[in-house]
Amino acid sequence: MVKFFSRFACGVAMSFLLYGNAAAAPAEPELRIGILSDAQCPKSKDSWGLKNARRGFELLRQRGVDVVVLGGDLAERGDAEVFYNFLEAFDSVFGEKKPELISIMGNHEFAPPQDDPKKKIAAFAKAFGLPADANVHRVIGGYDFIAISPEGMNQNTYKEGAEKFVKEAVASARKRAAGKPIFAFSHHPLSGTVAESGQWGSDSLKKVWDFKLPDLVHFSGHTHHPLQDERSIFQDEFTMVNTSSLCYLSRPGNYANVKQLHDTWKYPQMLFVDVYADHIDIIRMALDCGREIKPGRRWRLELPLSRENFTYTAARRDSRKAPEFPAGSEAGIKVSGTKDGKPVIAFPAAVHDDFVHGYAMKFIPLEADGKPGKSFELNCMTDYYRGIDRMAENPAFALPPGRFRPGTRYRVEIRPCESFGKRGSAISTEFQF
């Protein structure tokens, strides 16, 4: 094994591991794919999402990509002008050497909700030269691509038409190239798979796809979830991969500091997918700096796909360690107040072999006699979406003032959490605010 170490301009310090069998892999992939989604663009040609799409197109042009997939929510309000803005950007970046382009609709393509969904589908299909139902089955470079669109703004509007289309397309693909991976696309993930799919996933996809297909590699957007999180890939009886967002990254509402995470729009993301004869590499990209996210931990799918070689299953959690605070961190806890009366808590960052996803803080009011009152817990998310090496060394979190009684003494117990939910040991202190 040979190790190469490099530090990138966007501050990602990683180790590259090249294994002996990698030398036998072909110098060039059989197929290069680029996947972008969730640009959420208004009509303006200068919108943030479209600017990031151009950045992504330029990176893909430099890689000599064969296929570009636009995974839905190109438009924020369903404006057809946005589709033509994307096509103009695509043409201007790639020029005469254009890759294949596959586009699907997201829920925002149907906005506003009072508009006729059939007219929305027709406008999208016209812009991108798609069949009337906006569903796609193409063979590109010897691989099957099957992409479906919803039939309305609700995430559960994948209906009978899509079910019939997918069944016929999958049968054709497996007959044509048995054993080869099938690349599938929908804007929504299947519920209960990748991160945040419990809230934002689609149950109706279960009726459309036969998800007991190990050769199925399904890409979805919609959640805007940061790609640094290993839960953005999921394997059970198939593979599902999150494509993140060109516009802003998700800020789950169950975190007490959700309003503090106001800069997620600065860190758009996308995917490269390199297909070799014996494996697939899925490469996560940060568009703010044009560099790979976690280059030492590319997602690799060994071919032919089978449940026996799936590594990104729920069982991953069992082998993950809990994050821990460095020794002496307790002395570094500081609680202060802002000018507008909000309490702020800061402390040294915990450490983990992947990253610390958040902190669970238990606050215990102490009565005058020293006895503990009724406790409450607040969870705060870290800034990992900026880049793991750029996370704050001393994170500070503004807390909701309404939860604290002036003049009351509190004990706080802080536990670090990793993305799969494991919690480390607590550090604690007492304070009065």
Side-chain angles (χ1 to χ4, degrees):
M1 184 189 298
V2 183
K3 296 185 179 180
F4 296 83
F5 294 88
S6 176
R7 186 172 183 86
F8 289 108
C10 64
V12 182
M14 292 288 177
S15 64
F16 290 83
L17 304 179
L18 292 180
Y19 296 88
N21 64 351
E28 293 293 327
E30 292 184 352
L31 195 70
R32 294 185 186 271
I33 309 166
I35 308 172
L36 313 90
S37 72
D38 296 270
Q40 319 294 153
C41 293
K43 296 179 183 180
S44 171
K45 293 185 179 181
D46 294 321
S47 68
W48 179 242
L50 190 58
K51 286 180 180 179
N52 292 321
R54 290 191 188 100
R55 292 185 195 179
F57 290 159
E58 182 57 37
L59 291 175
L60 294 173
R61 184 192 65 79
Q62 293 170 15
R63 285 178 62 83
V65 73
D66 303 293
V67 189
V68 174
V69 180
L70 300 178
D73 274 11
L74 307 183
E76 177 68 9
R77 296 284 295 168
D79 297 305
E81 291 91 334
V82 173
F83 311 149
Y84 295 98
N85 291 345
F86 263 85
L87 289 168
E88 182 181 308
F90 183 82
D91 290 345
S92 66
V93 170
F94 288 105
E96 294 182 359
K97 296 182 178 180
K98 294 183 185 63
E100 292 269 359
L101 178 64
I102 295 175
S103 302
I104 56 173
M105 302 178 74
N107 51 301
H108 279 268
E109 266 70 64
F110 291 91
Q114 64 269 22
D115 283 6
D116 183 351
K118 292 182 180 179
K119 291 182 178 179
K120 292 291 189 178
I121 295 171
F124 189 88
K126 179 182 178 182
F128 289 103
L130 302 176
D133 58 5
N135 295 326
V136 177
H137 178 203
R138 290 186 205 162
V139 178
I140 304 171
Y143 293 88
D144 286 82
F145 288 72
I146 304 173
I148 61 171
S149 292
E151 296 178 38
M153 199 166 185
N154 185 282
Q155 63 208 53
N156 286 314
T157 55
Y158 297 89
K159 299 180 180 179
E160 291 80 4
E163 183 179 358
K164 182 176 183 294
F165 174 84
V166 166
K167 184 177 181 179
E168 292 175 354
V170 168
S172 171
R174 301 191 93 183
K175 181 179 180 181
R176 189 197 64 80
K180 275 196 169 186
I182 299 169
F183 296 108
F185 305 87
S186 64
H187 180 65
H188 302 88
L190 174 67
S191 299
T193 56
V194 293
E196 296 193 72
S197 62
Q199 179 179 2
W200 300 113
S202 170
D203 290 325
S204 67
L205 281 172
K206 294 177 183 177
K207 298 179 180 179
V208 174
W209 289 97
D210 176 2
F211 283 108
K212 295 180 180 180
L213 291 174
D215 45 0
L216 185 71
V217 184
H218 193 295
F219 295 90
S220 63
H222 191 54
T223 66
H224 294 223
H225 197 80
L227 293 172
Q228 287 88 348
D229 192 335
E230 296 301 316
R231 295 175 300 155
S232 290
I233 185 170
F234 170 88
Q235 289 181 308
D236 184 2
E237 296 183 295
F238 70 106
T239 302
M240 180 156 278
V241 186
N242 161 46
T243 60
S244 196
S245 170
L246 291 174
C247 189
Y248 59 87
L249 303 179
S250 67
R251 300 179 298 168
N254 59 325
Y255 291 104
N257 65 326
V258 63
K259 292 183 179 179
Q260 191 177 344
L261 307 172
H262 53 76
D263 64 344
T264 66
W265 61 272
K266 294 181 180 179
Y267 304 98
Q269 301 176 347
M270 64 172 291
L271 293 176
F272 296 159
V273 181
D274 289 350
V275 185
Y276 297 84
D278 60 353
H279 71 273
I280 300 169
D281 280 341
I282 301 174
I283 302 162
R284 297 167 274 183
M285 294 298 298
L287 285 173
D288 66 301
C289 55
R291 300 290 184 176
E292 184 174 353
I293 297 168
K294 299 167 83 168
R297 298 185 68 172
R298 286 184 179 181
W299 295 329
R300 174 163 290 192
L301 309 180
E302 300 293 342
L303 298 179
L305 290 162
S306 71
R307 296 178 187 88
E308 286 70 30
N309 62 23
F310 282 0
T311 58
Y312 304 105
T313 66
R316 287 176 290 173
R317 186 184 188 280
D318 299 336
S319 61
R320 289 175 68 91
K321 299 177 182 178
E324 298 292 349
F325 285 105
S329 294
E330 210 158 49
I333 305 174
K334 301 185 186 306
V335 181
S336 58
T338 63
K339 291 181 180 179
D340 55 359
K342 292 182 179 178
V344 175
I345 188 167
F347 44 83
V351 295
H352 189 247
D353 56 7
D354 188 6
F355 66 92
V356 179
H357 186 272
Y359 295 93
M361 291 177 274
K362 184 178 182 180
F363 295 91
I364 307 166
L366 302 176
E367 307 300 341
D369 59 4
K371 292 182 179 180
K374 185 178 181 180
S375 65
F376 62 92
E377 187 170 291
L378 296 174
N379 296 308
C380 289
M381 190 177 101
T382 65
D383 55 354
Y384 74 93
Y385 56 85
R386 296 174 180 169
I388 292 171
D389 69 306
R390 290 186 281 186
M391 294 173 66
E393 295 181 1
N394 291 280
F397 302 103
L399 304 173
R403 302 299 299 270
F404 298 90
R405 302 195 306 262
T408 299
R409 191 162 188 81
Y410 289 86
R411 176 179 177 82
V412 59
E413 299 173 353
I414 308 167
R415 294 180 183 274
C417 310
E418 54 89 50
S419 58
F420 283 74
K422 288 193 173 180
R423 295 185 176 189
S425 303
I427 58 173
S428 63
T429 193
E430 294 183 8
F431 69 94
Q432 183 171 319
F433 178 72

